[in-house]
Amino acid sequence: MPDSYKIIASVGEDELRHLQKKDVKDVDVIEVRLDLFSRNYIQKEMKKKIKALGLPVLFTYRRAEDSSVRSYVKLFPEDVEGIIKDFNDNANYLDIELNREDTIFKNYENLNYRIIYSYHSFKKSILANEMNRFIEKSKPVKKKNPIYKFAITPENIEETADFLNDIKLLSKTNTMIGICMGELGIISRVFGDKFNSSFTYMTLGEPKAPGQISVDTFKKLRADLFKSPQSTKESKED
């Protein structure tokens, strides 16, 4: 897998509690879905566990209407300000939703995190000019080079192809992540780098979005595609 295509593994409280370093050896970033954690775990146990894993962390908070999985509890800025302060470093990431005016991460633009601006639609796709409008309206941040993530639900393979080609087009001037959710989206999750998508989202337990696959499945599909012709020939001769 090219170094430029990175794996983000999404976890809730159940997964993070049991994760060990060996479980994340193929992962580049741990996405901590704060809406899938209890206040108690966030405030008392989370810091130590993330530090033990030794990976960059992406903090994400999805409201119930913006998620396909049930949240633990509604959180408020004061519930997460401690953990956000603990990891305030430009090696780590915050997810800020493009299609919402408010965020649980207060004054994020002045923090040291790298920002992933995200847009999600569980019902439809989005066109390049719409994506560009969201990008242009995004809030400037202290650290340069934010990342723009668009996750959509295509109706057919044609919409999938159009969306991924638009991601490739927009990647000429922005760092992009393009995800197609649902069964039609497998190509975007496994081979998104072919369309200049910089990151892909996997799961280490239960899927956190429609069509999300495990890291092991991702590795197998990539390995099967990128087998060299010579190795395939040799295996047939054996």
Side-chain angles (χ1 to χ4, degrees), residues 60-77:
T60 298
Y61 178 72
R62 296 272 179 262
R63 293 164 178 81
E65 60 270 29
D66 299 324
S67 175
S68 61
V69 289
R70 188 176 178 182
S71 60
Y72 256 74
V73 66
K74 183 178 179 180
L75 298 174
F76 298 93

Side-chain angles (χ1 to χ4, degrees), residues 42-227:
I42 291 170
Q43 295 170 357
K44 295 183 178 178
E45 300 181 58
M46 182 176 281
K47 178 182 177 180
K48 182 179 179 181
K49 186 65 181 190
I50 295 174
K51 292 279 189 185
L53 292 175
L55 285 175
V57 62
L58 160 62
F59 289 112
T60 298
Y61 178 72
R62 296 272 179 262
R63 293 164 178 81
E65 60 270 29
D66 299 324
S67 175
S68 61
V69 289
R70 188 176 178 182
S71 60
Y72 256 74
V73 66
K74 183 178 179 180
L75 298 174
F76 298 93
E78 55 268 28
D79 295 321
V80 302
E81 62 185 358
I83 196 73
I84 297 307
K85 183 179 179 181
D86 288 336
F87 290 89
N88 184 24
D89 185 275
N90 59 14
N92 299 320
Y93 305 79
L94 285 184
D95 181 291
I96 306 296
E97 292 168 306
L98 282 167
N99 46 334
R100 277 194 170 275
E101 293 297 323
D102 58 336
T103 173
I104 199 170
F105 307 123
K106 297 304 178 186
N107 300 314
Y108 68 87
E109 65 274 17
N110 296 316
L111 299 176
N112 293 323
Y113 289 89
R114 191 172 181 191
I115 302 301
I116 297 181
Y117 283 113
S118 67
Y119 168 96
H120 295 79
S121 174
F122 294 97
K123 295 181 178 179
K124 61 178 183 177
S125 187
I126 188 172
L127 301 174
N129 60 347
E130 296 175 277
M131 287 190 273
N132 208 39
R133 281 198 292 271
F134 276 115
I135 290 170
E136 289 173 351
K137 285 168 60 179
S138 62
K139 200 170 186 178
V141 290
K142 183 178 176 181
K143 296 298 175 184
K144 294 181 179 179
N145 194 22
I147 302 158
Y148 295 95
K149 174 193 177 187
F150 291 88
I152 56 92
T153 306
E155 287 191 0
N156 49 51
I157 196 67
E158 287 79 14
E159 274 195 355
T160 302
D162 288 344
F163 171 76
L164 290 173
N165 283 322
D166 286 343
I167 292 293
K168 191 170 187 177
L169 176 67
L170 290 167
S171 74
K172 292 179 180 179
T173 50
N174 305 282
T175 302
M176 301 295 296
I177 301 172
I179 300 287
C180 295
M181 294 185 280
E183 291 181 1
L184 288 169
I186 189 71
I187 188 173
S188 71
R189 293 186 181 279
V190 181
F191 307 114
D193 54 332
K194 300 303 176 185
F195 301 90
N196 294 349
S197 183
S198 298
F199 296 78
T200 187
Y201 284 68
M202 301 287 119
T203 179
L204 291 169
E206 290 297 313
K208 303 298 181 286
Q212 202 174 70
I213 62 173
S214 70
V215 174
D216 287 342
T217 299
F218 171 83
K219 287 169 55 188
K220 184 178 186 307
L221 290 170
R222 293 280 292 196
D224 286 347
L225 180 79
F226 293 117
K227 276 180 181 174

